Amino acid sequence: MTNQVAQQQNQVAQKEKQNAFVTQVAKKIEDMKQQGQINLPDNYSAVNALQAAYFTLTEVSFSDKTALIDKVTPESVAFALQDMAIQGLSVAKKQGYFVPYGNKLQFLRSYHGTQAVLKRLHGVKDIWANVIWKGEEFEVEYNERGQLAFKGHKVNWKAATGRKEDIEGAYCIIEREDGTQFLTVMTMDEILTAWSTAKTQNVQNKYPQEMAKRTVINRASKAFINTSDDSDLLIDAVNRSTENEFEPTVKDMGDIEEVKREIEQNANTEEIDIQEPPTPVQDADYVEVPQQEQQQASFADGPGF
């Protein structure tokens, strides 16, 4: 009975610490919002997203019987959670992942997350990507301005084998609200070069189609993100979530210092568990071109990359 009571008391204490941790970060996000530093989507609840993320972080891994939150520092957890919330994203919607680098936790966007962020930027109407399989016809042409533009993609559904060896490339189209479209194309050689710096190839080998889309979308989005007049905090968080794929360090951001101090006083040091997280990747050069007409293709359902 004594052990059962002690266990219940421990669970209550852990729950209180979890609530305190989420409350501290959520308060910081709300302060930023009230001060006009960030502009979150109307239907986005930072508290709900943070609670879902924290729950994910405290899940115990079947492989090593340890939660990810127990492997990283509490300040890096706060920082990663803040990056997620500033971008208006949720791990529950497969819009990103928490990945440990050493004892530092970092937030990486999925390609669904990058789509969501891009659509929040001023002037962006839509973004989509497709894989080009061997045996399919993909055509581009130079428009009247001398820029490479999409002409057509004749799809062969039988060619979509799901094997990395059968992918010839991928492309992404970003459409502005005025109808102007920007094309980014990458060959499979360029995509493989982007993947070559990853520590492992597990995710790329398991989900090559989704990872190819993720790579080309990340490349296509960079110019839009860095030329946007949206909130500096949003752009910093977006860029950091991309750069985390190449630079396994947590960079300081001024207002995180207050969160860190609060967490040291009030919150616990529990952390996150991600089984087989996406490995860091680096993107190749891209071609960005405006173009007026395009038949929009829909994304295939995938594992959330």
Side-chain angles (χ1 to χ4, degrees), residues 92-290:
K93 295 181 179 180
K94 306 299 183 182
Q95 293 175 330
Y97 312 88
F98 293 110
V99 180
Y101 290 107
N103 68 342
K104 304 293 184 182
L105 186 72
Q106 294 182 341
F107 176 72
L108 301 182
R109 285 189 316 277
S110 68
Y111 84 72
H112 294 303
T114 298
Q115 284 181 279
V117 168
L118 259 291
K119 290 180 181 180
R120 287 180 56 198
L121 299 183
H122 292 151
V124 176
K125 179 181 179 181
D126 204 357
I127 173 174
W128 63 93
N130 283 294
V131 165
I132 307 165
W133 298 94
K134 290 181 179 178
E136 294 184 339
E137 296 180 14
F138 177 72
E139 296 182 272
V140 295
E141 63 182 1
Y142 287 103
N143 59 21
E144 64 279 2
R145 300 177 60 184
Q147 296 171 312
L148 194 65
F150 178 91
K151 184 178 180 181
H153 181 190
K154 189 174 182 179
V155 177
N156 178 5
W157 63 270
K158 293 181 180 180
T161 64
R163 299 191 309 169
K164 179 173 62 177
E165 296 77 10
D166 293 329
I167 298 176
E168 289 198 335
Y171 63 95
C172 174
I173 295 175
I174 300 177
E175 183 177 24
R176 289 191 178 276
E177 291 177 350
D178 63 5
T180 303
Q181 294 180 345
F182 294 81
L183 172 68
T184 299
V185 181
M186 295 180 69
T187 66
M188 192 56 187
D189 285 342
E190 290 174 316
I191 293 170
L192 290 174
T193 297
W195 295 350
S196 64
T197 58
K199 294 180 181 179
T200 71
Q201 298 291 316
N202 291 342
V203 178
Q204 288 88 339
N205 290 334
K206 191 172 183 179
Y207 306 112
Q209 179 177 353
E210 308 308 325
M211 289 299 289
K213 290 180 183 179
R214 180 173 184 262
T215 299
V216 73
I217 287 175
N218 278 345
R219 173 51 65 185
S221 68
K222 287 183 180 179
F224 283 83
I225 290 169
N226 292 322
T227 58
S228 170
D229 59 357
D230 288 80
S231 160
D232 287 342
L233 284 176
L234 170 62
I235 301 306
D236 285 346
V238 170
N239 278 329
R240 189 161 43 247
S241 296
T242 303
E243 291 169 358
N244 284 344
E245 299 185 10
F246 327 125
E247 302 174 14
T249 58
V250 175
K251 301 177 182 178
D252 289 335
M253 185 166 75
D255 54 24
I256 195 62
E257 294 302 324
E258 181 180 345
V259 176
K260 288 162 63 177
R261 287 193 296 271
E262 293 171 347
I263 287 171
E264 288 173 357
Q265 297 173 2
N266 302 316
N268 68 347
T269 59
E270 291 187 337
E271 318 190 8
I272 319 166
D273 172 46
I274 300 294
Q275 297 181 15
E276 195 180 10
T279 47
V281 297
Q282 179 175 337
D283 295 321
D285 292 336
Y286 69 101
V287 179
E288 179 187 278
V289 187

Side-chain angles (χ1 to χ4, degrees), residues 75-90:
E75 52 266 26
S76 72
V77 174
F79 196 87
L81 289 172
Q82 180 171 291
D83 267 359
M84 178 198 71
I86 287 175
Q87 296 176 74
L89 301 178
S90 170

